[in-house]
């Protein structure tokens, strides 16, 4: 048979054998072990390679499908395990260079024609197989030209795919990635930089740029391979840039770049020798960039714009070093010429916005690179290089300003970068820049607006630093005064600009601001005001200047007594000038032309700006008068003419005309004018209130009329849609005026609310509620800086002073009830109408007046209304009437009543608390009647919140506690809860049950706490619940009623039990409460059995039912305990009534505890139940120990894959309580079994078996045992086993440290356990060896390259072990001080490394973690210093270690502070001999650090301590 197969070689060579048969024979020969050929693998590779080369060169004529089969055969060989094993064995397998050439040409032809891509995937797979096999990739790596050609072809093919709509798959990009990797290896081995440069520039430069652009601009879809999109594309981009950088910008080519870029005069390094470099790298590169034939014309400009910044970045990364800045600049100039001659020129000529945008974005990136690499040095450029760079940037600035593109954000950012480079670059064009980029710019796009603000802020900051602010504003004034369509101009200062300007004005010298003030006043009074009549444009210009003046004066630093006198004199002069030359002439002009006000735009604008500046003037005048005694107000000089203090604020002083105010009010129709009138009224109120005398009737009337005027400037806030407001008075318009006015009212409400009428108070309260109910605009821009009606109202409701305005708060409660009245039907409306009568003074304390017997008419009416409303609620509950509400009405009710929770319960008056309680009780009944969980749950939550209030017992004057419970619980039991799909319960039901239980517990707790007829109310409530329990056969019975009955009975049992303990001395009450508890227990047991009978496992509420059974068991145990203490006869002694129920629950919990994933509430309830069960002998199964069963169940729980450290921490208190009970109740044999199991689970072999949960469970159990009191024989047994535990923990920890993933789950718990063991074992661990074993762990655990949380846990664990040894085992530590100090030094070294100053400052949590670790180190230093006798000898060594490490790093100030404070305590231990030793032995650099540290110690720490010692006895 072998002889037959040996003829295959001849048949493959035979030309008469059909090619179909040849391929089958070759395939069979490859896979068959019976085919014996010398060097068979090589023979078959040579044959298929020769065949493919022949097909490609047309020497062999084959059909396309046969050629594809040949490629498939080659692909199978290259990817076969057989070939891989041969290569691993070292056998020689080779391919010819010709097959590599064929592959390259096939890929190239696929790029050229779409039709030939049918078999491309197989060719690519072959190529991938060759490149991934080192023995075969020789065909590419040995011949660099082939590798370059492959990389070029594959790159172009990838570009075609990325540009098409086809889905992107991984094979092509795998080949591309491998090609780049292989080429980079070849490139690094090349010794001729010119040859590499030529290869890259001629073959790879354009394809790489095109590929990078294609990767960046591809619109990735879901059908594209995610691995290509997220991983391969990033890796390819990175390798592509590396290829370009290593090929084009090698260090050996720097001289060539210098020779080409620098002229003879500017050359820093002269050419050495006579060898002339023929390479012109920049010119060659520019010619390639300007050649557009390598890609489609449609994308050429985009490719070029993306490529130029990349090339400049790579150039700077390679050559931007000291002394090469000029070369880098000339490279910038050449690249910009290329960009300008193509993209920017094309954009200018064709006026195409996309091309211009691309060019600007490229230019922005280049300029940012110039700025970040410090290419432009102003002084060097001016002194050495004849301002060549300045002239270049100057032309660039002219180009940008002469071709403004305010719709592109990059245009603004380019100008900003030029300003940061040197403000003189843009200063010659400053007026045009201010005009096109600021004053006359019309920008709608928010991103472009942010870029504009950034530019203007940079301009302002620059001129502020240069102290040339007046120069900048002079240009601003010139631009504003130019002829323009002023109605189209945006406000001069946007919200962001106003904020930045206010910050800058505080830092400027006052004279500069006064200069600007003077310029604006001069322009207004001499140029604009004389020619404003009938000129709307001039009026708009005046308003712009007025807004500048308002912003400037309002935000400048206030004058005070420390201000120089000349500045105050000039300020006072400008205030007088502003009044005399602008405000008074403006008022005269307005008064003289008031008849034409109806149609005069100019007069309206003049009125706006005049009122704005009057308010500004008065505000500044008042503030300066209060802060500066050297300032004299003009109003003080005229005060004698005023009849009463508030009159001057009605503008009578300004014109000596008492009708001036009425005239202004009549003319003030614009939003700015009305807002300013409101501000002036606020000024008037403040002025009257500040008078140092008793208030007169005239003052009071003035306050009331002024407050009313403020409120009624805008009567209907919500009549139309309003826009957000930026907060500036000059920016108020018709759209945002309601927000501005509401802000004015609310921000001053504290001073005006005492003087507004009850009707106005109710109006404000209604407006407050309506605005709170407004929906948020999700697409609102600048959310943080803009003000809306809702944000203003939210701030008022959450403020501390809202509860102080008792009348308004009471009106707000009335508004809530009134809003609910509108949304409800007739049956509820009558009750709500009684509680929301606006004419009644609900804020009066009529509860107290009723108690004292002195009721007024108002109090009597309020009381009657509330009593009637309470009886209505009770009667409706007993009658069973059901309201009808739609879903939208219910949703509206829920939104309205949720605002009750924002009212602080303690701040509510008794009447408001009672009204809210009755409202919510009514809606609870309505929600139950409608079967609506959302409404009922919300009402119960709000009732629970109200119960915590100071006056919550006021409702008991209207209804008995038992009646309230009857209304609430009766409504819940009568409700017909209907859920989707006919389900018994829905996912919201458990939360609803918890909410109802919280309400009942809070309410009954209040009844007991405040002693509201406790026994009577409990009896009535229990009687009501008992009579509400339907029979087991009753059709009304369902699982939901069962749950609600359990809640009521569960709450009763919980409350009666502590009452029994309190009343144990009162025999009668004890008997009554005991009988109540007995009845509750019987009924609760019956309901529980019925619930378990009708509920399915999937419908069971585990945590709820477990907590109910736990309460039932505790109640029975409490009753039995009480009977024992009262010495009841043995014949009357009773046993547990539900033993079987308790047993079944116990066994079910033990089975299901380990499966309770995502049910932490159930786990807590189950652990608490098991804790109770341990003390009940009736529940124990005689066949098996309950304690051992619980221990095994806990081990299974801790081994669960879903159990984590966080889950253990969340149930830690329950676990500790359970273990304490287990240790108290277990026998010695049971404790021995538990300890034996713990030691078995601690074995390190579990880690070797990849079983990490077993050790984790064991370590957790040890920690729990250590948290329990260990006494008697159990304690002896534990501490006898402790050395074994320590040894096992140390071994386990060392092994776990090898796997970083085990650090949080094994290593950290081990460290915590060791610290606990050492701390608890202070009197039991007597062998020092067992103590010092811990040091081997502390020196092993890793402290580097960890996440912040893991790092802190590890650090704290090591610190706690060291601290336990130091505090509890000082004798053992003395025998291992070097190990102790080495372990502690690891902590010091780690915190120094993590706390060093770095470029990336890290996140706030990371910094806080490092700071906490530094505090721990300081603490340890302090405790070490306290052990004076043990560590005095080692103090110099500790200091030496510290300063040696300190010399290597620069610490963050906060970290250094803590470490320094700690080492100062160690220096306290050093004597003079130690200091001299350190000065003599430390190396020079370290010695300087030590001297600085010691000087600080002497200056700060030692002198402080010596000062304290003087007063120490």
């Amino acid at each position: 048979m072998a002889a037959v197969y040996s003829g295959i070689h001849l048949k493959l060579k035979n030309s008469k054998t059909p090619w179909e048969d040849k391929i089958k024979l070759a395939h069979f020969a490859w896979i068959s072990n019976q085919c014996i050929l010398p060097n068979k693998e090589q023979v078959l590779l040579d044959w298929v390679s020769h065949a493919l080369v022949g097909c490609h060169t047309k020497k062999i004529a084959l059909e396309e499908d046969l050629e594809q089969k040949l490629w498939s055969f080659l692909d199978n060989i290259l990817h076969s395990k057989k070939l891989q094993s041969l290569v691993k064995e070292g056998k020689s397998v080779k391919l010819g260079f010709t097959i590599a050439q064929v592959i390259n040409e096939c890929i190239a032809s696929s790029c050229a024609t779409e039709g030939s891509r049918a078999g491309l995937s197989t060719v690519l797979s072959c190529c991938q197989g060759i490149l991934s096999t080192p023995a075969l990739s020789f065909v590419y790596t040995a011949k660099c030209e082939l590798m370059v050609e492959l990389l070029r072809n594959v790159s172009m093919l990838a570009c075609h795919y990325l540009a098409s709509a086809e889905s992107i798959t991984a094979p092509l990009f795998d080949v591309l990635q491998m090609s780049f990797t292989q080429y980079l290896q070849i490139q690094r081995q090349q010794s001729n930089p010119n040859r590499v440069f030529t290869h890259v520039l001629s073959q790879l430069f354009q394809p790489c740029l095109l590929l990078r652009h294609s990767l960046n601009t591809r619109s990735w879809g879901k059908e594209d391979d995610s691995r290509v999109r997220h991983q391969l594309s990033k890796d390819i981009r990175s390798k592509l840039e590396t290829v370009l950088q290593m090929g084009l910008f090698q260090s050996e080519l720097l001289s060539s770049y210098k020779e080409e870029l620098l002229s003879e005069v500017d050359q820093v390094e002269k050419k050495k020798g006579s060898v002339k470099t023929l390479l012109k790298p920049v010119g060659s590169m520019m010619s390639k960039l300007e050649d557009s034939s390598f890609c489609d014309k449609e994308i050429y400009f985009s490719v070029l714009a993306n490529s130029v910044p990349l090339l400049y970045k790579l150039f700077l990364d390679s050559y931007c070093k000291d002394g090469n800045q000029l070369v880098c600049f000339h490279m910038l100039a050449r690249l910009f010429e290329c960009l300008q001659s193509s993209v920017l020129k094309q954009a200018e000529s064709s006026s195409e916005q996309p091309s211009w945008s691309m060019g600007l974005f490229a230019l922005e990136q280049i300029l940012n690179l110039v700025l970040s690499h410090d290419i432009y040095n102003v002084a060097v450029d001016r002194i050495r290089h004849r301002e060549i760079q300045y002239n270049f940037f100057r032309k660039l600035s002219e180009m940008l300003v002469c071709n403004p593109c305010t719709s592109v954000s990059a245009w603004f950012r380019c100008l900003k970068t030029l300003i940061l480079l040197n403000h003189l670059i843009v200063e010659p064009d400053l007026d045009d820049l201010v005009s096109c980029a600021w004053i006359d710019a019309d920008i709608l796009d928010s991103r472009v607006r942010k870029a504009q603000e950034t530019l203007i802020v940079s301009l302002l900051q620059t001129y502020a630093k240069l102290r040339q602010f007046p120069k900048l504003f002079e240009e601003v004034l010139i631009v504003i005064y130019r002829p323009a369509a002023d109605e189209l101009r945006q406000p001069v200062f946007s919200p962001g600009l106003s904020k930045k300007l206010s910050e800058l004005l505080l830092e400027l010298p006052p004279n500069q601001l006064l200069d600007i003030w003077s310029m604006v006043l001069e322009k207004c009074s001499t140029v604009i005001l004389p020619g404003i009549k009938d000129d709307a444009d001039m009026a708009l210009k005046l308003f712009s200047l007025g807004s500048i003046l308002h912003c400037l004066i309002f935000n400048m630093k206030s004058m005070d007594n420390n201000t120089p006198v000349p500045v105050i004199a000039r300020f006072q002069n400008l205030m007088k000038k502003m009044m005399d030359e602008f405000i008074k002439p403006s008022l005269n002009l307005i008064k003289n032309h008031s008849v034409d006000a109806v149609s005069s735009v100019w007069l309206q604008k003049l009125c706006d700006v005049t009122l704005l500046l009057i308010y500004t003037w008065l505000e500044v005048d008042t503030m300066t008068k209060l802060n500066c005694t050297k300032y004299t107000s003009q109003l003080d000089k005229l005060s004698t003419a005023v009849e009463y203090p508030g009159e001057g604020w009605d503008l009578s002083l300004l014109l000596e005309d008492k009708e001036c105010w009425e005239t202004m009010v009549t003319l003030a129709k614009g939003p700015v004018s009305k807002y300013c009138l409101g501000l002036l009224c606020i000024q008037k109120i403040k002025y009257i209130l500040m008078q140092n005398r008793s208030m007169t009737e005239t003052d009071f009337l003035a306050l009331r009329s002024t407050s009313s005027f403020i409120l009624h400037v805008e009567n209907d806030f919500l009549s139309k849609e309003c826009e957000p407001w930026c907060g500036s008075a000059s920016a108020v318009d018709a759209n945002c005026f309601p927000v501005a006015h509401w802000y004015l009212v609310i921000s001053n409400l504290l001073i005006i609310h005492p003087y507004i009428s009850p009707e106005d108070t109710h109006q404000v309260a209604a407006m407050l509620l309506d605005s709170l109910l407004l929906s948020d605009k999700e697409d609102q821009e600048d959310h943080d800086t803009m003000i809306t009606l809702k944000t203003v109202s939210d701030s008022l409701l959450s403020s501390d002073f809202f509860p102080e305005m008792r009348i308004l708060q009471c009106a707000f409660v009335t508004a809530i009830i009134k809003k609910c009245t509108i949304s409800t039907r007739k049956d509820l409306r009558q009750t709500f109408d009684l509680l929301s009568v606006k004419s009644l003074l609900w804020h009066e304390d009529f509860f107290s007046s009723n108690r004292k017997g002195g009721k007024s008419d108002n109090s009597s009416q309020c009381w009657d209304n509330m009593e009637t409303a309470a009886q209505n609620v009770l009667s409706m509950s007993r009658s069973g009437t059901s309201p009808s509400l739609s879903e939208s009405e219910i949703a509206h009710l829920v939104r309205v009543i949720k605002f009750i929770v924002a009212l602080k319960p303690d701040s509510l008056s008794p009447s408001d608390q009672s009204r809210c309680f009755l409202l919510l009780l009514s809606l609870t009944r309505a929600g139950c009647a409608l079967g609506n969980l959302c409404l009922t749950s919300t009402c119960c939550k709000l009732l629970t919140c109200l119960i915590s209030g100071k006056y919550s017992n006021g409702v008991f004057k209207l209804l008995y506690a038992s009646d309230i419970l009857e209304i609430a619980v009766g409504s819940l039991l009568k409700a017909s809860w209907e859920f989707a799909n006919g389900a018994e319960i829905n996912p919201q039901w458990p939360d609803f049950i918890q909410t109802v239980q919280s309400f009942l517990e809070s309410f009954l707790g209040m009844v007991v706490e405040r002693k509201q007829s406790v026994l009577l109310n409990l009896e009535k409530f229990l009687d009501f619940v008992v009579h509400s329990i339907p029979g087991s056969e009753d059709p009304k019975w369902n699982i939901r009623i069962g749950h609600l009955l359990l809640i009521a009975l569960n709450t009763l049992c919980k409350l009666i039990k502590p009452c029994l303990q309190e009343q144990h001395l009162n025999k009668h009450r004890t008997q009554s409460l005991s009988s109540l508890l007995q009845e509750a227990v019987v009924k609760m047991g019956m309901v529980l059995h019925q619930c378990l009978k009708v509920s399915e496992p999937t419908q069971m509420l585990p945590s709820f039912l477990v907590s109910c059974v736990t309460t039932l068991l505790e109640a029975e145990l409490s009753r039995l305990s009480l009977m024992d203490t009262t010495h009841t006869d043995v014949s009357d002694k009773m046993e547990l009534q539900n033993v079987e129920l308790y047993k079944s629950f116990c066994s079910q919990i033990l089975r299901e505890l380990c499966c309770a994933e995502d049910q932490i509430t159930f786990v807590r309830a189950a652990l608490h139940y098991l804790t109770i069960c341990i003390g009940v002998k009736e529940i124990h199964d005689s066949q098996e120990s309950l304690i051992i069963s619980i221990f095994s169940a806990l081990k299974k729980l801790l081994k669960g894959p879903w159990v984590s450290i966080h889950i253990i921490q969340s149930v830690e208190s329950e676990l500790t309580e359970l273990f304490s009970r287990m240790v108290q109740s277990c026998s010695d044999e049971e404790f021995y079994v538990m300890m034996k199991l713990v030691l078995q689970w601690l074995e390190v072999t579990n880690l070797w078996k990849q079983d990490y949960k077993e050790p984790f469970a064991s370590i957790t159990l040890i920690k729990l045992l250590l948290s329990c009191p260990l006494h008697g024989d159990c304690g002896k047994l534990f501490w006898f086993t402790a050395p074994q535990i320590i040894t096992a923990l140390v071994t386990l920890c060392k092994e776990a440290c090898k796997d970083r993933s085990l650090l949080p789950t094994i290593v950290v718990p081990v460290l915590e356990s060791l610290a606990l063991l050492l701390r608890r074992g202070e009197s039991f661990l007597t062998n020092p060896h067992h103590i010092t074993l811990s040091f081997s762990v502390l020196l092993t655990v890793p402290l580097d390259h960890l996440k912040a949380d893991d790092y802190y846990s590890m650090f704290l664990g090591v610190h706690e072990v060291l601290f336990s040894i130091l505090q509890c085992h000082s004798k053992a530590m003395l025998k291992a001080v070097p190990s102790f100090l080495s372990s502690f030094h690891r902590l010091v070294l780690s915190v120094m490394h993590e706390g060093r100053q770095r470029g990336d400052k890290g996140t706030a949590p990371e910094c806080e973690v490092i700071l906490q670790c530094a505090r721990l180190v300081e603490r340890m230093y302090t405790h070490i210093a306290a052990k004076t006798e043990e560590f005095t000898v080692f103090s110099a060594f500790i200091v030496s270690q510290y300063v040696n490490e300190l010399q290597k790093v620069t610490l963050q100030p906060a970290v250094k502070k803590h470490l320094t404070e700690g080492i100062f305590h160690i220096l306290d231990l050093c004597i003079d001999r130690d200091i001299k030793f350190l000065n003599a032995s430390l190396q020079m650099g370290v010695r300087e650090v030590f001297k600085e540290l010691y000087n600080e110690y002497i200056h700060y720490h030692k002198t402080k301590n010596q000062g304290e010692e003087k007063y120490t006895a």
Side-chain angles (χ1 to χ4, degrees), residues 1461-1476:
E1461 288 292 331
I1463 203 66
F1464 282 169
H1465 292 288
I1466 303 299
L1467 281 169
D1468 286 337
L1469 304 181
C1470 294
I1471 57 179
D1472 291 341
R1473 186 180 60 197
D1474 296 329
I1475 303 302
K1476 291 176 182 177

Side-chain angles (χ1 to χ4, degrees), residues 368 371 412-424 426 430 433-434 438 450-466 468-469 472 496-497 500-501 504:
N368 286 335
L371 183 65
F412 292 98
R413 290 195 288 267
C414 287
L415 288 167
K416 183 204 77 171
T417 309
L418 290 174
I419 292 170
L420 294 177
L421 285 172
N422 183 1
H423 76 284
L424 295 174
V426 298
L430 188 58
L433 172 65
V434 168
W438 184 0
K450 286 180 180 178
Q452 181 206 28
E453 283 188 7
T454 307
L455 166 64
I456 300 170
V457 167
S458 298
L459 198 63
L460 293 171
Q461 288 173 339
T462 301
Y463 278 87
K465 288 177 184 176
L466 295 168
Q468 295 182 14
F469 228 53
L472 173 62
L497 278 181
K500 290 292 181 183
L501 182 64
L504 291 172

